[in-house]
Amino acid sequence: MTTRLFGEPVQRREDPRLLTGRGRYLDDLGPDALAAAFVRSPHAHARIRGIDVDAALDVEGLVAIYTWEDLPGRVGRPLPLLIPHPALTHGRTAYPLARDVVRHVGEPVVMVVAADRYAAEDACALIEVDYELLKPVVGLEEAVQSAQLVHEDVPGNVGAHLVQEVAGTDGRGAREAIETAPHTLAFRLDIERSASMPLEGRGVYARWDGRDLRVYSSTQTSTSVRMAVAAALELPLPQVEVIAPDVGGGFGVKIVHPWPEEVLVPWAAMTLGHEIKWTEDRREHFISSAHERGQVQYVRVGFDDDGRVLGLDVTILHDHGAYTPYGIIVPIVTSTQLLGPYKIGAYRVEFTAVYTNTVQVTPYRGAGRPQGVFCMERTMDKIARYLGKDRTEVREVNFIRPDEFPYDQGMTFQDGRPLIYDSGDYPEMLRMVKELIGWDSFEARPGRGIGVGCYVEGTGVGPYEGGHVQVTSDGRVHVSTGLTSQGQGHETVFAQIAATELGVPIERVSVVTGDTRRFGYAVGTFASRAAVVSGNAIALACRKVRDKALRIAADALEADPADLEITDGMVHVAGTPSASIPLSTVAVLANPLRYAFDDETAKATQFSGTASPDRPPIAEGEEPGLEGRDYYSPIRSTFASGMHAAIVETDPDTAEIKVVRYAVVHDCGRLINPMIVEGQIHGGVAQGIGGALYERMVYDAHGQLVNASFMDFLMPYATEIPRVETAHLETPSPLNPLGVKGAGEAGVIPVSAVIASAVEDAEGIQIDRMPISPSELFDLRAAER
């Protein structure tokens, strides 16, 4: 049996449980809990003149009705602005229940608690809210015109404005470099809104025993929810436990915290002295969670005869909806990740983030990168088209070369750290993806086109994650880490790391995530960071345990620790397997006992004869037990990269777009589990094709989301996703002990750029707006005639 499992395609250990109905999701918990439901604003912008609950009071099963005026102290304050930034000069967050003004359809106004969800919804339907309608601000252009204000104290609807500029090697700024360049282009690019849409929506279940509060939340960050709830409810942190049960997808929307319901449901549970649960329905998710992607980007680029970029000037308008609870991470990521694998001569980027009366914008898988990659890759295609060159040739001439790492882009990344790429080989990656898709042999013809897109993704952002590893006297290894899981395969890859580091069979390793009772310090699962940050923390914790195990075993075997190895759960002298001791026995010896509970623990009791009478049972500087805890805190992000290529066909009559082939070459450093990485990529590509061809949030002039259901919000079927052909390039990161980079968001990032490139190749029509539907392509054809 091998215990060297790092890099092996180990089958996902969590799947048998999840695929046979044994998962425990939020709504599976608390069958006896009271149910919460919410009256939500039907208007995009309105003043609340009064709330009449009289008709609801006679509903059988009603327990309580709460408006903002009922919320005490800190419960009634605006929700926190999680990531302040100096450029976010007018950050605004919502109240848990609307106070005076509602700013988007779906904003919670009244909370109802009843015996069950039916009664709660019945009561909600009978509550009358008197609104004075205000003109809504819908769309970026309307926000910029600022004839109406979303927040009366935010001039021009501008929440944030930021400029970053990097001069060229000759010291000139981007605008000067563009003005003097041999060739220049200027154009506008649009990406529409979309949303995460996890299979399981949000949900909260809370119970209070008079002293301690336990909260279950379908979240991507249980430890941060814990801190936020403790702060809002003014409880000592040790009296609050937060657990993320099985979570049916997150894709970014569940990293936001606390949601109003994560404050209100626990508060009501404490107030009423009864467990309470709220589970989001699909319409609530559409209109009261979060969206992303919507941006307009204006580009000016100057370049030479070879297509080498001499100056790039990008102005971004970012729609962050009604509130900014997650700060301005999305436009910052767009601004910095836009550069991709290229060394741009001089770069200037300016973004303005404006409020609109629409659902708030927070990170969605990729978090600003798809917009940035769409911008840069469209730019590369336009340069190639202008010069009459092959699109890959223009990319090649702009690549950072392998011998130029670490490469400093001269900017500040989303984590406040320098934007310095750690490793990569972009020319080799381009060669691989061209070979995989058959770029050089592709024969273009009307209605059949090929496209390519490149990206670099900052992954493994800090500030830290931790890991705790314990070997018990039965030889089992128990791993816990604070971040949460939403289907990524953490139970498998973290077990692979522990099994490899400790030399034990993976069957003896168990993994717990997202439970503050097991691990209290963590940041969360987002930004392709789990394998990098928690993976390395677990490896470091395992190495502490291994060192201790070797010291104890060396005493027992009368050997030098340097001569010992651990293989298949046995500590033995290298080359002499017979001189060995089970790791389970080492765990027993690590915990000197007074009492015996079984045959194993009897070996560690005071009359067993295993301890020297000349030394204390616990040596100075040691602790009982065979366990270790450690943290990994990266100095800065590690940068994964990838290149995608696709072949599409367009129907000459219906303008339907079909993705015929899709190829991916990806570099996430050392692969922990190539099968899981490929699964992440396949899922990301499917999500990206949805964003390129189907998914959009459609608001009317009144701020109503007119496609707020799965009847109208289109997503691709499996039949519309081609087989994804993948290849891996491994350039280990020098920044962390395992040499890994993140992979969670990679598949989704360049897809809109790749599909746009391929459709443009098939049709000969410039594609500057995504997603693109058959009717839009039909209109573009008509406009070209």
Side-chain angles (χ1 to χ4, degrees):
M1 179 180 295
T2 179
T3 54
R4 298 295 177 186
L5 296 172
F6 193 105
E8 296 297 320
V10 175
Q11 294 279 335
R12 284 168 50 103
R13 307 173 75 209
E14 46 271 83
D15 281 354
R17 179 173 58 83
L18 298 175
L19 295 176
T20 55
R22 287 178 287 142
R24 295 274 288 169
Y25 297 90
L26 193 285
D27 205 36
D28 294 320
L29 310 176
D32 299 322
L34 300 175
F38 291 86
V39 176
R40 299 183 184 272
S41 172
H43 305 296
H45 200 191
R47 194 177 311 281
I48 299 171
R49 291 191 295 212
I51 300 174
D52 184 352
V53 304
D54 287 350
L57 297 179
D58 293 331
V59 171
E60 185 176 353
L62 176 71
V63 176
I65 299 175
Y66 301 109
T67 68
W68 175 82
E69 293 181 344
D70 299 310
L71 305 182
R74 298 183 67 169
V75 179
R77 293 183 184 177
L79 298 166
L81 198 167
L82 293 170
I83 309 177
H85 189 286
L88 181 56
T89 54
H90 294 79
R92 297 291 182 270
T93 60
Y95 290 90
L97 292 172
R99 177 185 182 184
D100 302 331
V101 176
V102 290
R103 293 185 172 84
H104 68 87
V105 173
E107 188 163 354
V109 179
V110 181
M111 179 170 71
V112 171
V113 180
D116 56 46
R117 186 64 177 260
Y118 298 102
E121 295 284 1
D122 287 347
C124 286
L126 294 171
I127 293 172
E128 295 186 5
V129 182
D130 182 17
Y131 293 101
E132 175 192 350
L133 300 187
L134 304 173
K135 188 172 187 323
V137 177
V138 183
L140 280 164
E141 283 78 5
E142 199 168 321
V144 172
Q145 291 168 5
S146 65
Q148 304 292 327
L149 297 178
V150 177
H151 299 271
E152 292 181 354
D153 59 345
V154 178
N157 291 314
V158 176
H161 178 254
L162 181 64
V163 178
Q164 289 201 70
E165 183 160 12
V166 182
T169 54
D170 59 3
R172 296 188 301 168
R175 290 180 171 174
E176 185 181 357
I178 294 168
E179 291 301 323
T180 58
H183 311 285
T184 62
L185 289 171
F187 46 91
R188 167 179 166 160
L189 300 168
D190 290 65
I191 292 276
E192 295 196 25
R193 273 192 176 219
S194 190
S196 300
M197 292 298 150
L199 191 60
E200 180 199 31
R202 299 181 294 114
V204 187
Y205 162 50
R207 61 192 199 207
W208 168 252
D209 65 7
R211 193 184 79 89
D212 295 324
L213 176 68
R214 179 176 295 179
V215 179
Y216 294 84
S217 179
S218 181
T219 180
Q220 292 176 229
T221 175
S222 55
T223 52
S224 295
V225 170
R226 180 193 187 202
M227 296 183 71
V229 169
L233 303 185
E234 301 182 75
L235 288 172
L237 192 62
Q239 288 178 228
V240 180
E241 301 169 344
V242 175
I243 301 163
D246 287 321
V247 175
F251 308 117
V253 69
K254 296 177 182 176
I255 191 60
V256 180
H257 61 278
W259 287 98
E261 299 86 357
E262 287 175 327
V263 173
L264 295 169
V265 170
W267 168 74
M270 293 174 62
T271 302
L272 298 172
H274 198 288
E275 56 187 312
I276 298 175
K277 181 172 70 176
W278 167 76
T279 306
E280 184 182 58
D281 64 35
R282 186 53 59 183
R283 178 169 170 75
E284 285 182 303
H285 191 75
F286 269 99
I287 64 171
S288 61
S289 288
H291 301 166
E292 212 237 270
R293 301 283 195 261
Q295 283 184 181
V296 176
Q297 299 164 153
Y298 298 92
V299 183
R300 291 187 70 241
V301 60
F303 49 97
D304 65 16
D305 293 341
D306 295 325
R308 186 175 292 105
V309 176
L310 305 175
L312 179 66
D313 185 4
V314 180
T315 301
I316 299 169
L317 278 178
H318 172 75
D319 175 359
H320 55 211
Y323 301 106
T324 52
Y326 211 75
I328 50 175
I329 289 299
V330 171
I332 289 175
V333 171
T334 298
S335 304
T336 52
Q337 297 277 264
L338 187 151
L339 294 168
Y342 310 112
K343 46 184 178 184
I344 301 301
Y347 177 52
R348 181 183 187 277
V349 62
E350 172 181 4
F351 74 74
T352 303
V354 295
Y355 288 104
T356 58
N357 288 115
T358 56
V359 174
Q360 66 191 15
V361 164
T362 65
Y364 161 33
R365 193 178 192 182
R369 296 176 185 88
Q371 300 96 309
V373 171
F374 183 66
C375 179
M376 179 57 87
E377 296 304 298
R378 290 281 68 206
T379 300
M380 290 294 166
D381 283 351
K382 288 175 183 292
I383 293 172
R385 183 182 178 124
Y386 178 88
L387 295 174
K389 290 181 174 292
D390 185 281
R391 287 164 285 171
T392 60
E393 184 181 340
V394 171
R395 287 169 169 83
E396 173 83 31
V397 78
N398 285 287
F399 278 154
I400 298 164
R401 315 310 295 184
D403 61 357
E404 294 178 300
F405 290 96
Y407 188 86
D408 188 351
Q409 289 280 19
M411 304 188 74
T412 301
F413 192 43
Q414 62 143 317
D415 54 1
R417 301 295 173 115
L419 185 70
I420 302 175
Y421 296 175
D422 49 338
S423 65
D425 188 344
Y426 307 139
E428 172 62 11
M429 185 174 285
L430 182 64
R431 186 201 63 76
M432 291 173 67
V433 79
K434 287 176 65 177
E435 181 176 295
L436 196 58
I437 198 71
W439 183 274
D440 291 331
S441 60
F442 179 76
E443 296 181 1
R445 65 174 187 266
R448 183 178 174 86
I450 191 169
V452 66
C454 313
Y455 66 94
V456 170
E457 178 197 8
T459 70
V461 298
Y464 72 91
E465 289 294 339
H468 178 262
V469 177
Q470 180 184 29
V471 182
T472 49
S473 58
D474 57 2
R476 297 182 184 276
V477 179
H478 307 275
V479 177
S480 58
T481 186
L483 57 64
T484 60
S485 299
Q486 300 91 49
Q488 295 92 339
H490 293 160
E491 288 182 42
T492 304
V493 294
F494 293 157
Q496 284 182 254
I497 292 171
T500 302
E501 294 286 341
L502 290 174
V504 299
I506 195 170
E507 293 76 14
R508 290 195 161 269
V509 182
S510 63
V511 176
V512 172
T513 63
D515 187 339
T516 63
R517 298 170 300 178
R518 295 288 298 273
F519 207 97
Y521 292 95
V523 183
T525 301
F526 61 97
S528 305
R529 66 189 298 276
V532 180
V533 194
S534 268
N536 277 289
I538 290 166
L540 294 172
C542 285
R543 292 174 189 183
K544 281 187 173 179
V545 172
R546 178 184 175 86
D547 289 345
K548 184 172 184 178
L550 295 184
R551 290 198 302 272
I552 294 171
D555 275 351
L557 297 172
E558 297 182 344
D560 188 328
D563 295 333
L564 298 181
E565 295 179 344
I566 308 177
T567 305
D568 197 17
M570 298 292 290
V571 186
H572 62 88
V573 177
T576 312
S578 58
S580 64
I581 180 173
L583 194 60
S584 58
T585 302
V586 176
V588 170
L589 298 177
N591 183 26
L593 295 171
R594 182 174 180 84
Y595 309 112
F597 311 109
D598 52 30
D599 291 343
E600 280 297 310
T601 54
K603 299 173 184 174
T605 53
Q606 55 199 1
F607 297 113
S608 64
T610 56
S612 168
D614 300 325
R615 294 185 294 182
I618 300 294
E620 186 175 349
E622 295 279 10
E623 295 179 351
L626 187 53
E627 59 185 299
R629 178 188 301 267
D630 212 334
Y631 295 85
Y632 175 67
S633 182
I635 189 160
R636 59 180 180 271
S637 296
T638 180
F639 288 85
S641 58
M643 297 185 191
H644 294 198
I647 296 173
V648 305
E649 292 178 349
T650 56
D651 188 284
D653 299 316
T654 66
E656 183 183 6
I657 300 165
K658 182 178 182 181
V659 183
V660 179
R661 286 188 62 196
Y662 204 97
V664 176
V665 177
H666 185 249
D667 178 3
C668 59
R670 295 183 67 206
L671 294 167
I672 302 172
N673 184 322
M675 185 175 66
I676 286 180
V677 171
E678 292 202 4
Q680 289 274 28
I681 291 172
H682 291 180
V685 170
Q687 205 159 12
I689 289 176
L693 298 178
Y694 304 99
E695 299 171 3
R696 68 185 75 204
M697 295 293 175
V698 182
Y699 279 94
D700 67 12
H702 306 289
Q704 297 290 336
L705 185 62
V706 298
N707 63 336
S709 80
F710 281 166
M711 290 291 289
D712 303 301
F713 178 81
L714 301 180
M715 290 185 288
Y717 293 109
T719 50
E720 288 150 344
I721 305 299
R723 186 174 73 87
V724 180
E725 304 162 59
T726 57
H728 300 286
L729 178 68
E730 294 186 67
T731 61
S733 172
L735 298 180
N736 62 74
L738 297 178
V740 299
K741 307 175 184 178
E745 298 170 285
V748 77
I749 292 172
V751 182
S752 284
V754 174
I755 300 296
S757 178
V759 172
E760 187 170 289
D761 189 48
E763 294 283 328
I765 299 172
Q766 297 201 45
I767 307 298
D768 292 337
R769 172 187 287 270
M770 295 296 273
I772 183 167
S773 66
S775 59
E776 287 164 328
L777 180 57
F778 187 87
D779 291 342
L780 287 174
R781 286 174 175 173
E784 285 286 307
R785 294 190 187 110

